[in-house]
Amino acid sequence: MDKLSTIWNFIRRYKYGFVLCVFILLIGVVGEYSLWQRYKYKTELRHLRSSIRQYTEMYEHDTRYLEEMNTNPEIMTKIAREKYFMKTDDEDVFVIQKEGEDE
């Protein structure tokens, strides 16, 4: 009982500080709109924006590449030869791979 009364006297004496500490704890850690959650959301938003930027750059690169393929037939033959190993009738294609490498 003595411990309980000393705790109660401490809380009564420093009630404003105690309420302030509880308020800071609630705002900082507990709840959906806490500072911790806001930090996590901001980090996730930064990551998503960098992903959007990366995919936008890839889209622009592929769009330019597709436009170049549609306008220049030499590019189409270059892609067919390099990527799909196609050849003309009068030539041979040799594919050289290092040991341990897969396709």
Side-chain angles (χ1 to χ4, degrees), residues 4-34:
L4 192 60
S5 67
T6 57
I7 292 172
W8 178 251
N9 286 336
F10 179 78
I11 291 173
R12 234 176 54 206
R13 182 179 297 158
Y14 300 107
K15 59 185 164 198
Y16 295 113
F18 181 72
V19 169
L20 184 64
C21 288
V22 169
F23 177 73
I24 289 172
L25 181 69
L26 286 174
I27 295 297
V29 179
V30 179
E32 188 174 337
Y33 301 108
S34 66

Side-chain angles (χ1 to χ4, degrees), residues 31-48:
E32 188 174 337
Y33 301 108
S34 66
L35 295 175
W36 179 251
Q37 287 292 333
R38 288 184 65 180
Y39 171 74
K40 287 183 2 184
Y41 291 151
K42 191 171 272 195
T43 305
E44 183 180 358
L45 184 64
R46 189 177 317 121
H47 173 70
L48 291 173

Side-chain angles (χ1 to χ4, degrees), residues 84-95:
Y84 300 109
F85 306 116
M86 293 183 177
K87 64 181 184 94
T88 58
D89 291 332
D90 61 341
E91 68 182 7
D92 293 326
V93 175
F94 297 99
V95 179

Side-chain angles (χ1 to χ4, degrees), residues 40-102:
K40 287 183 2 184
Y41 291 151
K42 191 171 272 195
T43 305
E44 183 180 358
L45 184 64
R46 189 177 317 121
H47 173 70
L48 291 173
R49 283 186 177 158
S50 69
S51 296
I52 288 172
R53 203 171 22 253
Q54 176 188 359
Y55 288 125
T56 303
E57 290 172 1
M58 286 174 49
Y59 172 75
E60 290 171 357
H61 175 266
D62 292 342
T63 304
R64 283 193 305 267
Y65 192 65
L66 184 63
E67 184 64 34
E68 190 174 338
M69 276 185 1
N70 287 336
T71 57
N72 192 352
E74 293 172 4
I75 297 292
M76 185 70 77
T77 58
K78 178 183 174 189
I79 292 171
R81 288 172 179 263
E82 290 177 358
K83 192 170 185 179
Y84 300 109
F85 306 116
M86 293 183 177
K87 64 181 184 94
T88 58
D89 291 332
D90 61 341
E91 68 182 7
D92 293 326
V93 175
F94 297 99
V95 179
I96 301 171
Q97 291 183 342
K98 293 181 182 176
E99 287 184 23
E101 282 187 9
D102 291 335

